[in-house]
Amino acid sequence: MGRILKFARTKAGLTQDQLAQRLNVSTSLIAKFETNRLVPQSDTARKLDVVFDAGDTFQESAAEARAFAPDTAWFQPWLDYEQHATMVRSFQLAVVPGLLQTEEYARAVLRDAGTRVPDVEVKVAERLARAEILRREQDQCRLFAVLDEAVLRRPVGGSKVMADQLHAIVQACARPNVSVVVVPASVGAYPGLNGPLALATVQGRTVAFLDDPLDGHVIEDQERVTALEEAWEAIRGYALPGQASLELLMEAAESWS
């Protein structure tokens, strides 16, 4: 995949910077594609086919590369964006967002994920390391998380794990760069029932991530990203205010104690 892209770019007389501008992505992302460190997502592969008038060449090559990539390779593009983000907005319907998970909660989630996670302890360590973006001294990331109340009530890992996890979220909310609000069960049907989503703002632009039972997808097309931003804002509109959400989190934590 990387060699095909580099050949097409060179033949077209484009630099990595120029191609990145045409695709509305970072130059570093193009470099990672060309060195096979990352595989283009379907949206980006489709744009490459358009730029180089290549039919479905890049879409087919990317699909083949993903088929032979490690099980979690599809997640790497999102991790790259997340690690450079100045703001992350998240909505979770079923589990605590990865950036807020405790070690035991993360272990319980990953342990029960089946064959998708062959080395649980390595993945736990990697997940915990992701949260460093919330604690770094420079370019500290802001996190705005919306949780469905079901996240607080689902017994992931047992009572102690849940109590510790929810207390950890309350403690995280004491940081000026972390905000967590909850959509109460009393709301009934609302847009969040369509599924979880995440948004990362990196160097002034926003990308999105959607997960599903098989893999996940980074969304870079700005029209689709804007639609997902609007969806996230609509979901947040159903959440309790900050203090009421905090009180619900503390009540739920105590219920597991």
Side-chain angles (χ1 to χ4, degrees):
M1 174 70 199
R3 291 175 63 186
I4 295 173
L5 175 56
K6 186 173 182 178
F7 175 80
R9 177 180 62 76
T10 303
K11 186 177 179 180
L14 296 174
T15 65
Q16 289 185 343
D17 285 337
Q18 289 169 331
L19 179 56
Q21 289 174 4
R22 291 198 182 190
L23 298 178
N24 196 25
V25 300
S26 66
T27 303
S28 64
L29 200 61
I30 299 298
K32 289 175 182 177
F33 292 156
E34 292 189 354
T35 54
N36 293 313
R37 284 179 289 169
L38 289 179
V39 178
Q41 294 293 306
S42 56
D43 285 352
T44 306
R46 184 167 54 250
K47 290 179 181 178
L48 285 168
D49 281 326
V50 172
V51 168
F52 296 115
D53 192 21
D56 294 330
T57 298
F58 287 100
Q59 294 174 75
E60 292 174 356
S61 296
E64 183 178 358
R66 281 194 294 272
F68 289 96
D71 289 343
T72 56
W74 50 267
F75 195 44
Q76 191 59 47
W78 171 253
L79 294 181
D80 284 357
Y81 280 125
E82 185 183 77
Q83 287 302 302
H84 294 90
T86 54
M87 179 173 68
V88 170
R89 288 169 286 174
S90 171
F91 166 68
Q92 280 292 346
L93 187 62
V95 296
V96 172
L99 292 175
L100 293 173
Q101 288 181 11
T102 64
E103 180 176 347
E104 290 303 321
Y105 186 95
R107 183 173 290 110
V109 170
L110 292 165
R111 184 183 60 228
D112 295 333
T115 58
R116 289 181 65 191
V117 185
D119 193 335
V120 170
E121 293 308 312
V122 170
K123 295 304 177 185
V124 169
E126 290 176 350
R127 183 162 296 186
L128 296 177
R130 286 167 55 195
E132 288 302 315
I133 65 171
L134 302 178
R135 296 186 286 270
R136 60 195 180 196
E137 294 183 4
Q138 294 183 335
D139 299 321
Q140 196 173 69
C141 181
R142 291 176 293 159
L143 173 65
F144 298 94
V146 182
L147 309 181
D148 188 282
E149 186 178 348
V151 175
L152 317 186
R153 309 299 182 184
R154 179 167 287 104
V156 175
S159 296
K160 185 178 187 308
V161 171
M162 286 301 301
D164 290 346
Q165 173 64 80
L166 297 184
H167 281 302
I169 294 176
V170 171
Q171 292 172 5
C173 289
R175 301 180 196 145
N177 62 317
V178 176
S179 174
V180 180
V181 292
V182 181
V183 178
S186 59
V187 162
Y190 72 107
L193 298 183
N194 291 321
L197 66 95
L199 300 154
T201 300
V202 186
Q203 296 179 343
R205 64 186 289 261
T206 300
V207 297
F209 181 76
L210 298 177
D211 202 354
D212 65 39
L214 294 178
D215 56 24
H217 305 279
V218 174
I219 309 298
E220 297 173 322
D221 179 80
Q222 288 306 295
E223 185 174 340
R224 298 179 69 191
V225 169
T226 297
L228 290 170
E229 286 185 292
E230 292 173 353
W232 187 86
E233 291 292 348
I235 292 167
R236 186 175 68 164
Y238 285 86
L240 295 170
Q243 184 58 38
S245 289
L246 195 60
E247 291 172 0
L248 181 55
L249 279 161
M250 290 188 291
E251 179 274 314
E254 292 303 316
S255 74
W256 289 110
S257 300

